[in-house]
Amino acid sequence: MLCTQKATLHEVVAEILDAALDITGADFGNIQLLDPATGCLKIAVQRGFAQWWVDFWDNVPEGKGACGTALRRRRRIIIEDVERSGIFRGTPGLDVLRRSGVRAVQSTPLASRSGKLLGMFSTHYKEPHRPGPHTLEWLDLLARQAADLIGQRQSQAELAERSRELARLASEVSMAEHRERRRIADHLHDNLQQWLVGARMQAQAASRSTPAKARSILATLDGTLKQAIDATRNLSRELAPPVATKGNLPETLQWLAQEFQRQHLLEATVETHGDFANVPEPQCILAYTAARELLLNTVKHSGSGTARLELTRTAEGLLLKVGDPGRGYDPKSIVAKKAHGLGLLGIRERAASMGGRLSVESTPGRGTTSTLALPLAAASPAAATPHSNCKACNPRTRPARKRPQPLTRRRTRIVFADDHRIVRESLIALIKNEPGIEVVGQCENGSEAVDLAGKLQPDVVIMDGNMPVMDGIEATRSIKSRWPSIRIIGLSMMEESEGGEKMRAAGADEFVPKSGPPEKLLAAIQRTIRPRSGGGGEKTTQIA
């Protein structure tokens, strides 16, 4: 993976763009990220353009210019000459390109492994130009690596936002719990404790009274204690309905409907379909909690005096529908989110944790219907028990697995030296899974390459010709003079006639242009190690 040490997404895409310009030899370039809110491309980083150019192309919708056309078509767009392109003919974009000196452009979409479009990177040229097939292959490899990194960084940002949202919800839940505790405390103080204190006072008065008067006082005491008992019983039933603890879900919903009739004058009907025996307790509790919360919303917000509950046992699980013919609301409105948010959000999260879902359909003036779907997972005996006639399932007849034989052949150890991390790690990604190859080190300048060659004694060093501190030509000469057996493959954006001759003169065994196909590098590695397999007792592995 590329650029994992970069701190920000901007730094990541900047390095990606620099590598793209290096590979393509372009004069200008930019990377745009897709804004999910608007569906437009916004410039994240650019090279070579003035601010007026950035302002013009900073918010590109589908169909505008090369990048907007690539966005619409979901594939690369190459315009060899903007003056002859139908995409730009007669558009303000052509004037902007003329003013900036651009004659050719290519735009490559950045898509995640799942196919989600993340952005676009474009390279621009001062002269009419079409990138060759080998350059496009490198751009495709770079695009995949870049999309992985951008997707990872965006996922990290979304995760951080999600964490902040969860922290906010946790705070709201904590406050809700505090308010509920206060409600219970207030109820106990304002009702139960007052009645019990009154009962004690009357009992004390009874002890000092005459027998005749005591009977009247004790009758009053009995009524007071009855009020206290009723209050505590009702509180207990609210907190934990007795029928819900028995797991009889239809009876629980019937009881709930009666309670709403008694407390809120809401006429709620209950219909049940199917067998509800052996429904697990977590699903029973969530179904009851959801029904209670949804009926409370009906009381508070629907303006209707009726509601209906429908409970169905399906092959997949439980299906609970709660509806009313009331005023309804717009689920997308902020008011609706505030009015119905915390309780329903908690139910939705709990349902999702069980593999279920809560959906709400509501239209202003036409009522509301909420549906809770909960799966009832049950282990299948057939799935848990091996088939007696199946050799793969029956441990007695299952064939013994052969122990893998240890590898005795030596792997080819490689060091990469290139000052562009994104190119270096793209090359590593290209060959690291090839059989017989082991990447043992990487560095970003010639001086480090010489040090790693001495410390690691690799079989092959893949050396970029143009690096800071010490260039690849001098590093090749130094390594070959100290450790002649180390093979060196030169890399450069220049062709053989330019960069190759200098690298070979310094002692490189092979030279591969960066603009060439990746297979050339694999073939060069094969050629460098082949002469070593014939003698000296060393064994090397052929690269498939």
Side-chain angles (χ1 to χ4, degrees):
M1 187 165 285
L2 309 176
C3 309
T4 54
Q5 301 301 317
K6 292 295 183 181
T8 66
L9 182 60
H10 180 273
E11 291 172 329
V12 171
V13 296
E15 188 171 6
I16 291 170
L17 179 59
D18 289 340
L21 296 180
D22 187 27
I23 290 173
T24 62
D27 302 296
F28 315 88
N30 70 282
I31 287 183
Q32 300 155 292
L33 299 181
L34 185 65
D35 184 356
T38 64
C40 295
L41 294 169
K42 299 186 69 65
I43 293 178
V45 65
Q46 60 88 18
R47 293 289 186 266
F49 291 112
Q51 185 60 44
W52 54 264
W53 186 96
V54 174
D55 294 339
F56 183 85
W57 295 105
D58 190 39
N59 199 33
V60 178
E62 286 190 359
K64 179 181 178 181
C67 54
T69 303
L71 174 64
R72 170 179 290 172
R73 299 179 183 177
R74 299 299 195 266
R75 60 180 175 84
R76 177 163 41 223
I77 294 295
I78 299 175
I79 299 178
E80 300 181 43
D81 190 342
V82 299
E83 297 289 348
R84 303 174 62 183
S85 170
I87 292 176
F88 288 104
R89 185 178 299 118
T91 67
L94 180 58
D95 295 332
V96 173
L97 294 178
R98 286 171 176 168
R99 182 182 174 189
S100 60
V102 172
R103 284 295 301 272
V105 58
Q106 74 78 30
S107 294
T108 299
L110 299 176
S112 67
R113 295 180 185 270
S114 63
K116 178 183 178 183
L117 191 63
L118 302 174
M120 194 77 58
F121 80 82
S122 304
T123 51
H124 307 73
Y125 309 83
K126 293 181 179 179
E127 300 295 335
H129 176 75
R130 181 180 183 86
H134 299 327
T135 299
L136 294 179
E137 289 179 9
W138 279 105
L139 283 176
D140 287 336
L141 176 64
L142 181 60
R144 289 193 295 270
Q145 297 276 327
D148 286 345
L149 276 174
I150 293 172
Q152 180 191 54
R153 292 308 173 95
Q154 290 182 342
S155 295
Q156 290 173 349
E158 291 172 1
L159 181 61
E161 178 61 28
R162 181 66 171 169
S163 296
R164 288 191 290 270
E165 178 67 7
L166 288 176
R168 184 187 67 81
L169 290 176
S171 176
E172 289 187 10
V173 169
S174 177
M175 289 301 298
E177 180 184 2
H178 173 76
R179 287 191 294 268
E180 184 65 12
R181 289 175 180 271
R182 172 53 57 190
R183 186 188 73 83
I184 295 174
D186 290 344
H187 185 80
L188 293 174
H189 177 271
D190 297 338
N191 296 283
L192 181 59
Q193 291 183 19
Q194 305 306 317
W195 291 325
L196 292 176
V197 168
R200 184 184 181 189
M201 291 180 177
Q202 293 181 48
Q204 291 173 343
S207 65
R208 297 192 295 268
S209 301
T210 62
K213 295 181 179 179
R215 285 192 296 270
S216 176
I217 294 174
L218 291 175
T220 303
L221 176 60
D222 180 70
T224 304
L225 292 176
K226 184 179 184 299
Q227 286 181 302
I229 293 171
D230 288 343
T232 56
R233 182 172 60 242
N234 289 337
L235 180 58
S236 298
R237 287 160 68 94
E238 282 189 36
L239 295 176
V243 289
T245 61
K246 296 178 182 179
N248 190 327
L249 192 53
E251 185 180 347
T252 300
L253 296 183
Q254 291 286 357
W255 175 87
L256 183 65
Q258 294 170 5
E259 286 296 296
F260 270 81
Q261 169 67 35
R262 183 178 64 84
Q263 296 182 24
H264 306 289
L265 301 180
L266 178 68
E267 295 183 6
T269 61
V270 179
E271 295 182 11
T272 60
H273 309 279
D275 182 10
F276 298 93
N278 302 320
V279 175
E281 184 180 17
Q283 280 82 351
C284 282
I285 293 175
L286 181 54
Y288 162 76
T289 304
R292 182 177 182 275
E293 183 68 30
L294 293 169
L295 289 178
L296 281 174
N297 282 339
T298 298
V299 171
K300 295 176 182 178
H301 310 295
S302 75
S304 171
T306 62
R308 64 189 182 278
L309 292 86
E310 182 178 356
L311 180 68
T312 305
R313 175 74 179 265
T314 68
E316 293 77 20
L318 288 180
L319 197 65
L320 173 66
K321 292 185 177 182
V322 180
D324 66 72
R327 63 173 63 99
Y329 64 95
D330 181 1
K332 296 181 180 180
S333 69
I334 298 176
V335 174
K337 289 182 180 179
K338 288 183 177 179
H340 302 267
L342 184 57
L344 293 188
L345 181 58
I347 294 171
R348 183 175 284 113
E349 293 291 338
R350 290 176 62 187
S353 70
M354 295 181 180
R357 67 185 186 278
L358 174 67
S359 59
V360 179
E361 297 180 3
S362 185
T363 303
R366 297 186 179 181
T368 301
T369 299
S370 303
T371 303
L372 175 68
L374 293 176
L376 300 179
S380 171
T385 305
H387 302 290
S388 59
N389 296 325
C390 176
K391 293 182 178 180
C393 294
N394 194 326
R396 295 184 178 180
T397 60
R398 185 185 302 137
R401 297 179 61 184
K402 294 182 178 180
R403 185 184 302 273
Q405 297 298 317
L407 297 176
T408 58
R409 293 182 297 176
R410 184 176 177 275
R411 296 168 66 84
T412 299
R413 305 170 71 250
I414 295 180
V415 166
F416 278 88
D418 194 301
D419 60 322
H420 283 103
R421 178 181 296 173
I422 197 162
V423 174
R424 187 171 72 241
E425 297 194 7
S426 292
L427 290 169
I428 293 173
L430 174 69
I431 73 166
K432 67 180 182 180
N433 293 324
E434 289 291 327
I437 285 182
E438 180 183 6
V439 178
V440 296
Q442 56 175 298
C443 57
E444 59 185 20
N445 62 62
S447 178
E448 292 178 356
V450 175
D451 292 341
L452 283 181
K455 294 177 182 178
L456 301 178
Q457 289 295 303
D459 299 301
V460 179
V461 176
I462 297 178
M463 183 84 71
D464 183 24
N466 186 19
M467 294 186 292
V469 183
M470 178 189 291
D471 64 27
I473 296 172
E474 184 60 33
T476 297
R477 188 177 291 112
S478 177
I479 291 173
K480 279 295 188 178
S481 66
R482 301 184 192 184
W483 307 285
S485 62
I486 296 179
R487 310 297 186 180
I488 295 182
I489 299 175
L491 281 178
S492 176
M493 286 304 300
M494 296 183 291
E495 296 299 320
E496 172 76 28
S497 59
E498 299 176 271
E501 292 180 0
K502 294 180 181 179
M503 290 294 292
R504 292 182 189 279
D509 300 273
E510 291 281 345
F511 176 82
V512 177
K514 288 183 179 179
S515 59
E519 290 76 14
K520 279 192 174 182
L521 177 60
L522 295 175
I525 296 173
Q526 180 68 272
R527 288 193 297 272
T528 61
I529 64 175
R530 187 174 295 143
R532 306 178 69 175
S533 62
E538 292 186 83
K539 294 183 179 180
T540 59
T541 303
Q542 292 282 322
I543 302 171

